[in-house]
């Protein structure tokens, strides 16, 4: 799996940076697709390096993110 992160993104990808962030969040944080699309900027606790995830049954939990992959996209 690490080779998938380290290798280049396919050249036919329209938004390779976005795709890498999505892939890292799904795999690295262990969240579901439906939880990923529900993340808002307010849900990211930059100082704690955690993301608030709203899961099934309106349950909320914080998921640690060791290397906040969304940082490069949000700064551009």
């Amino acid at each position: 799996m690490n080779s998938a992160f380290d290798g280049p993104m396919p050249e036919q990808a329209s938004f390779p940076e976005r795709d890498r962030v999505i892939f890292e969040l799904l795999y690295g944080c262990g969240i579901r697709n439906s939880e990923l699309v529900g993340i808002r900027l307010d849900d990211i606790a930059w100082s704690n390096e955690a993301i608030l995830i709203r899961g099934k049954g309106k349950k909320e939990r914080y998921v640690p993110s060791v290397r906040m992959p969304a940082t490069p996209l949000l700064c551009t």
Side-chain angles (χ1 to χ4, degrees):
M1 197 62 176
N2 288 338
S3 63
F5 285 120
D6 296 334
M9 291 298 288
E11 292 193 23
Q12 68 269 17
S14 298
F15 302 99
E17 294 87 7
R18 180 206 59 189
D19 296 345
R20 181 175 295 277
V21 170
I22 290 172
F23 188 62
E24 288 186 12
L25 282 170
L26 289 172
Y27 179 72
C29 296
I31 61 176
R32 298 175 179 90
N33 289 340
S34 59
E35 295 169 339
L36 175 68
V37 299
I39 295 174
R40 298 181 308 225
L41 285 177
D42 295 341
D43 296 336
I44 302 172
W46 297 104
S47 59
N48 297 339
E49 294 186 346
I51 303 171
L52 177 64
I53 303 296
R54 290 176 187 81
K56 293 180 177 180
K58 298 185 181 179
K59 296 179 185 176
E60 294 182 347
R61 68 184 189 281
Y62 278 97
V63 175
S65 181
V66 177
R67 63 173 239 198
M68 298 303 285
T71 303
L73 286 182
L74 297 176
C75 294
T76 57

